[in-house]
Amino acid sequence: MKKLETKSCEEIMSTAYKPLAYCVDGLLTQGLYLLAGAPKVGKSFFVAQLAYHIATGQKLWDYEVKQSTVLYLALEDDHRRLQKRMCRTS
């Protein structure tokens, strides 16, 4: 069985970490995110818009975007609904 990796405060404080890599400058770093909120507030639309802009490298509002590969898992949508949403994001 693999042991849980632990680090002391001294180790953490003495480590030189790489700067964060932003997908959307000053707004969104690379990584995994969980977005939660009330129903029908636009979470899915917002994430689809983010994915579109990152995948195409187009500015998002006034933010510069670094073009990157995006994995968008729309587990509640069918292809027709995804197409409709993607047309609204461009």
Side-chain angles (χ1 to χ4, degrees):
M1 179 183 287
K2 190 174 180 179
K3 290 185 178 183
L4 179 64
E5 180 185 339
T6 60
K7 290 191 178 210
S8 69
C9 287
E10 288 177 16
E11 287 177 289
I12 292 171
M13 294 304 292
S14 65
T15 301
Y17 295 100
K18 294 180 185 178
L20 294 174
Y22 280 87
C23 297
V24 181
D25 283 346
L27 183 66
L28 186 71
T29 59
Q30 294 176 346
L32 176 68
Y33 290 87
L34 176 64
L35 184 64
K40 302 295 179 192
V41 295
K43 297 179 302 291
S44 295
F45 183 77
F46 174 64
V47 171
Q49 186 177 25
L50 277 173
Y52 174 81
H53 284 268
I54 293 169
T56 62
Q58 295 181 30
K59 278 181 98 168
L60 176 67
W61 307 309
D62 290 330
Y63 296 95
E64 293 295 326
V65 174
K66 179 183 177 209
Q67 186 173 8
S68 301
T69 301
V70 173
L71 173 63
Y72 178 73
L73 301 174
L75 303 176
E76 297 177 346
D77 291 335
D78 60 20
H79 293 139
R80 179 173 296 158
R81 187 170 182 208
L82 282 172
Q83 182 186 53
K84 184 177 177 183
R85 285 176 183 249
M86 294 309 292
C87 287
R88 289 177 22 201
T89 63
S90 54

